[in-house]
Amino acid sequence: MAFVSTALNFTAHPRLLKYQIYPSASSKVLLLSSAPAFLIADRRRRWIVAEASPTRDEEVVVVEKKGVGEWGKVSAVLFDMDGVLCNSEGAAGMAAVDVFAEIGVEVEAEDFMPFVGTGDANFLGSVARLKGVEEFDTATAKKRFYEIYINKYAKPNSGIGFPGALELVMECKRRGLKVAVASSADRVKVNANLAAAGFDPSIFDAIVPADGLKRLKPAPDIFLKASKDLNAPAHECIVIEDAFAGVQAAKAAGMRCIAVMTSLSEDKVKQANPSLIRKEIGDISIQDILNDEEIKEEKPSKYLCNGVRSGVSKLPNGR
């Protein structure tokens, strides 16, 4: 027994989206009510309500209408560097091991992984504190770290760019999106990495390193500065990150984040709760970034899952 499709238009409210109900034989969601079925969700997917429509088997699916999406407008893409554009996190760990070896302290590259993305001073200083290194001069250690890293691990055109990274950057530009590098590393390391990966810095509309910023990731400052430099509203920016701190920074900036699993396990990445997860940058498509309904086929909303209840009395925050 079929039922009539019903569209609910909440687009007058800036935080609500428009959905339509379709009967379907696949991807059904069982709803436990006899009221008309619909879905409401805010742009950050934090509030979902559904009511059921009576059919013979009391099952319906909710599909996003073409041209209307919870992803929203995208104007810019902010790329982290280490672990996203460049396969450099392992090399950075080895350079850090070399720094500590010079002062007679034995460490392993894995010791530095919890501090990936938090800035190179913290990257080195945190391990020094954990190892009980006394009178550790972070500034001197960071300078030596950059010398070793650049001269030994990141020589120009050494091929440290991830496959597909340049192609994705150029596709974003072709689509009219602004692109930026937003890294917790200092400018000297950013420049070295781009040269090692074979990137022409001029393809980026902005490059925002850690120099001059008082707060680094997980604080949002780097991404907010990139947003300002690009003249793109924060909520129209997509961040691509590999580090837990980086995902936190993107969310703190009010930006959507696609996380790659180049530095962290899938479970750890999921704990950061990014908007989307991919294995590495080569697995990210322009459809993932734009959520373009003209390119991407319609599919049932995967967010219609928990807490299905009947009866909606008011919107979130009493609205």
Side-chain angles (χ1 to χ4, degrees), residues 90-272:
M94 291 187 287
V97 169
D98 292 344
V99 170
F100 278 78
E102 289 183 351
I103 62 173
V105 179
E106 184 176 344
V107 296
E108 297 180 356
E110 291 74 16
D111 295 332
F112 298 89
M113 291 309 294
F115 312 106
V116 165
T118 62
D120 293 317
N122 190 62
F123 181 75
L124 299 165
S126 295
V127 173
R129 287 189 292 273
L130 287 175
K131 296 295 181 178
V133 181
E134 297 181 0
E135 298 181 359
F136 184 77
D137 188 331
T138 303
T140 300
K142 188 172 80 165
K143 181 180 179 181
R144 182 58 181 147
F145 168 71
Y146 285 150
E147 290 172 350
I148 294 173
Y149 177 79
I150 293 169
N151 294 325
K152 187 175 181 180
Y153 298 104
K155 295 180 179 180
N157 297 308
S158 56
I160 67 171
F162 273 109
L166 179 59
E167 290 81 357
L168 183 61
V169 172
M170 298 310 294
E171 179 63 13
C172 288
K173 291 176 69 68
R174 190 180 76 81
R175 296 275 178 165
L177 303 177
K178 297 176 182 178
V179 293
V181 175
S183 173
S184 290
D186 286 3
R187 170 70 75 163
V188 62
K189 187 185 177 194
V190 171
N191 290 344
N193 267 0
L194 293 177
F199 280 95
D200 181 349
S202 67
I203 68 174
F204 295 99
D205 300 293
I207 295 178
V208 182
D211 308 69
L213 292 174
K214 293 182 179 180
R215 300 192 308 167
L216 302 181
K217 304 169 188 177
D221 302 36
I222 286 176
F223 294 135
L224 292 175
K225 186 176 188 306
S227 170
K228 183 178 179 181
D229 289 353
L230 294 174
N231 195 28
H235 66 274
E236 294 181 10
C237 294
I238 301 290
V239 173
I240 302 181
E241 261 288 353
D242 70 307
F244 194 93
V247 177
Q248 290 178 311
K251 292 166 65 178
M255 300 176 183
R256 290 152 288 178
C257 183
I258 300 175
V260 293
M261 299 184 293
T262 54
S263 301
L264 302 173
S265 67
E266 184 175 2
D267 288 342
K268 186 66 175 177
V269 172
K270 286 180 177 179
Q271 289 176 26

